[in-house]
Amino acid sequence: MIGWYVHHHGGGHLRRLQAIRPHLRHHDVTVLSSLRRPDDWQGDWVHLPMDLGADADPTAHGALHWAPTGVPGYRERMRLIAAWVAQHDPALFMVDVSVEVTALVRLLGVRTATVVMPGDRSDRPHRTGYDLADLLIGPWPAGAHRLPAGPAERVVAVGAISMFDGGRRPPLEPVPGRVLVLNGLGDGPSLADIDKIRQRVGGEWIVRGGRGERSTDLWADLTSAEVVVTHAGQNAVAEVAAARKPAVVVATERPHDEQLATVRALRRLGIVPAVDDWPSSGEWPALLRQARTQGGDAWSRWSTGHGAQDFAAAVEALADRS
């Protein structure tokens, strides 16, 4: 049995698990999360209460990220995790991501694994979480991100993890002039701003996520586009990489400069044009020309096509040793 903590901020942590789960061949997985259980999830799901509440020092003097005192939801979520561990005695507990959950489960005597996120993770809580984990997994290629010396030596870098790893439909023929814009949840440029760019550069612009419609067939959207413009979230970048599409990657502001670290890694590796913030209208013609010129073949440096399988193999190898 493997326990799998899925953080409730955004949808990326759950999508990563959904990409990996089909490749976990030898162990049952129970999810513990405050997220709503997806209708198509096969397996057990422990719903955790939210942990919000007031506390003068929720960081415990800087040792943790979020451990508020006197907050019933926080106390109950940690109690439920401990109770599940006591009842099921898991071979491994995967944490994506939480320093506090990593510490709790490791103190209960269970092997732990955690995902190493991009950006500046040199703060005391992150270092503690990495020190406690038995396995550190990087969902990006080796050398893409600069990490503190200790964790850097232990990270298993598996490359980007995509829902399309391990079995892709044939791609559609790209439509000349079609640009697909992928936004994160609740952010991204306005539709009016995107329309101003379209009027300047021409072509058909399709917006998914953010202020646009949600994609009902992301593979079709990706492969039918000539160029993709995407935010630098790990999952969005992974899906574009899996499709090997010419792209412009734009960082959105996130804690720890997570997306900035990704666009800088993409620039350093020469994969696609990648910029630190949303370009002005006048910058788009050159960026789109550069994306078309570079093409999408260099995405193979970021995505092996089997990152989800390699992640699953690393997790099950540790579970088998328990």
Side-chain angles (χ1 to χ4, degrees), residues 300-317:
S300 61
R301 303 174 201 161
W302 194 263
S303 166
T304 64
H306 47 77
Q309 296 95 313
D310 291 345
F311 192 116
V315 167
E316 291 205 302

Side-chain angles (χ1 to χ4, degrees), residues 160-172:
I161 296 167
S162 167
M163 69 175 74
F164 305 120
D165 287 347
R168 308 171 189 172
R169 307 196 319 261
L172 300 179

Side-chain angles (χ1 to χ4, degrees), residues 116-294:
V116 179
M117 302 286 282
D120 183 2
R121 309 289 170 168
S122 61
D123 58 272
R124 183 179 169 195
H126 273 112
R127 289 295 299 265
T128 298
Y130 295 158
D131 288 344
L132 290 171
D134 297 277
L135 173 64
L136 304 175
I137 303 183
W140 22 262
H145 295 291
R146 297 182 175 95
L147 301 170
E153 297 163 4
R154 299 172 51 220
V155 169
V156 177
V158 298
I161 296 167
S162 167
M163 69 175 74
F164 305 120
D165 287 347
R168 308 171 189 172
R169 307 196 319 261
L172 300 179
E173 190 68 26
V175 177
R178 178 176 290 179
V179 178
L180 171 67
V181 180
L182 296 180
N183 291 322
L185 293 174
D187 59 24
S190 70
L191 297 179
D193 287 342
I194 292 175
D195 192 56
K196 289 178 183 177
I197 300 169
R198 181 195 60 77
Q199 291 177 31
R200 184 182 184 97
V201 302
E204 175 191 12
W205 287 58
I206 297 172
V207 183
R208 295 289 184 255
R211 296 169 177 84
E213 297 180 359
R214 185 175 181 178
S215 178
T216 58
D217 189 339
L218 184 56
W219 185 251
D221 285 340
L222 284 167
T223 59
S224 65
E226 185 182 31
V227 179
V228 178
V229 175
T230 181
H231 67 99
Q234 290 182 80
N235 288 277
V237 171
E239 313 305 4
V240 178
R244 303 293 194 257
K245 297 302 296 187
V248 178
V249 181
V250 183
T252 301
E253 185 176 352
R254 289 291 186 270
H256 306 283
D257 288 339
E258 177 181 320
Q259 293 200 13
L260 277 174
T262 296
V263 300
R264 290 167 183 173
L266 293 171
R267 281 204 302 266
R268 190 170 63 251
L269 296 172
I271 294 175
V272 291
V275 294
D276 292 356
D277 49 31
W278 189 257
S280 66
S281 296
E283 294 174 286
W284 279 106
L287 283 169
L288 293 171
R289 282 196 302 272
Q290 184 182 351
R292 292 184 175 99
T293 299
Q294 285 189 229

